[in-house]
Amino acid sequence: MPEGYDKVKTQAKSAEEHHATTRARLHQIQSQLDNAVRAGKLKGKVCIITGVGSLKGIGRAAALTFAHEGAKHLYLLDYDPTNLPELKTTIEKKYPDVKVTTMKADAADETTVSGVCQQALCEEGRLDVFFANAGIATREHLADTTADTFMNTMRINALSCFLAVKHASAAMLKANPSRGKNFSSGSIIMTASTAGIRSGAGTVDYSASKAAVNSIAQTSAYQLQKTDIRINTICPGLIETGMTSVTFEYARKRGSEGKIGQLNALGRFGIAQEIANAALFLASDDSSYVNGQNIAVDGDYLLLIPLFPVDGLECF
């Protein structure tokens, strides 16, 4: 066994080499839409995405990726409207064939979620994709987590996904041959987390909310059997977004940026575009036989959690 570990060590790059390679690789991934051919994977599809407001967020990256792949109409929602006009302008300028509707909205409000699904039906005659991405993260230890904090986390992270499944699936059940939809069908994607699969990757309230999201996908997929409506979750590992900015800023101030995300087989953190790519796969017909799954996009972090438990997201 020691000989095997020694071999792994000799194959590994130095910390400096690995950090330089990681930076180059992430830059390449971040700029992939600038060079990628538009393959039309979402051509004709009407999509709703929540949680698009962060400039470094998964929702924004998904909106741009879905537009790149030819979505017909994007309905983009966020509770904070600050960056919505810029996102709409960016998409319309780069992809003039894509309709964009942005709105300030609470993804955990039933009237709002039901309303946007009905709006898609009224305006486009169909709904094909709902990416329930809105969410929050918390950092309080168990002893400092109040009942109000717990319930607020569950509301924003889990209730929003339940409402998305309930109302999006009802809209997706409606066929409309005049709009090219001959049968019920659709893809509902929800952002969960590795924290919803294993312990050691998040706070109690956050982990509970994401475990609920994973369960919602599995149970709903069964209850919607034979409808061709697929429901899956994406379970990101450590991703640099606005929500995790405190972790990254803290590490950079300490001069330990190169250590961020070391606790996985790839030895690095991820970026929003990598989660957006997974969302594209689930939104498109490429994943037509994928249903009820909790898909980890984490650099193999889940397999190492039992060996290297961490507190929250401070993985460095």
Side-chain angles (χ1 to χ4, degrees), residues 10-122:
T10 60
Q11 289 176 333
K13 300 174 183 177
S14 68
E16 294 76 14
E17 264 188 304
H18 180 69
H19 184 46
T21 301
T22 294
R23 288 172 64 92
R25 176 63 176 144
L26 292 180
H27 176 73
Q28 180 185 44
I29 296 167
Q30 189 69 62
S31 59
Q32 71 179 57
L33 294 184
D34 295 333
N35 306 306
V37 174
R38 299 183 70 188
K41 289 181 179 293
L42 299 182
K43 184 177 180 180
K45 292 188 183 294
V46 177
C47 312
I48 298 171
I49 308 175
T50 66
V52 300
S54 171
L55 294 175
K56 286 187 175 181
I58 292 167
R60 177 187 174 89
L64 291 166
T65 301
F66 285 17
H68 185 86
E69 289 300 329
K72 182 180 181 181
H73 195 152
L74 293 175
Y75 293 86
L76 307 177
L77 287 65
D78 200 277
Y79 190 75
D80 180 355
T82 304
N83 297 318
L84 294 182
E86 185 275 337
L87 177 57
K88 177 180 172 68
T89 300
T90 297
I91 293 174
E92 291 178 337
K93 183 177 180 180
K94 192 169 184 180
Y95 308 108
D97 57 311
V98 179
K99 296 180 187 177
V100 182
T101 298
T102 58
M103 58 185 76
K104 178 188 184 307
D106 180 357
D109 177 74
E110 185 160 21
T111 301
T112 296
V113 177
S114 173
V116 70
C117 291
Q118 288 304 310
Q119 184 175 345
L121 288 179
C122 290

Side-chain angles (χ1 to χ4, degrees), residues 138-143 145 149-150 153-154 195-196 200-211 311-312:
T138 57
R139 301 182 65 83
E140 288 82 5
H141 186 273
L142 172 62
T145 302
T149 295
F150 182 90
T153 303
M154 292 297 293
T203 58
V204 171
D205 55 314
Y206 179 80
S207 300
S209 70
K210 295 303 187 178
D311 183 14

Side-chain angles (χ1 to χ4, degrees), residues 185-206:
S185 65
S187 176
I188 300 172
I189 309 154
M190 299 179 285
T191 301
S193 172
T194 52
I197 300 177
R198 294 275 184 86
S199 63
T203 58
V204 171
D205 55 314
Y206 179 80

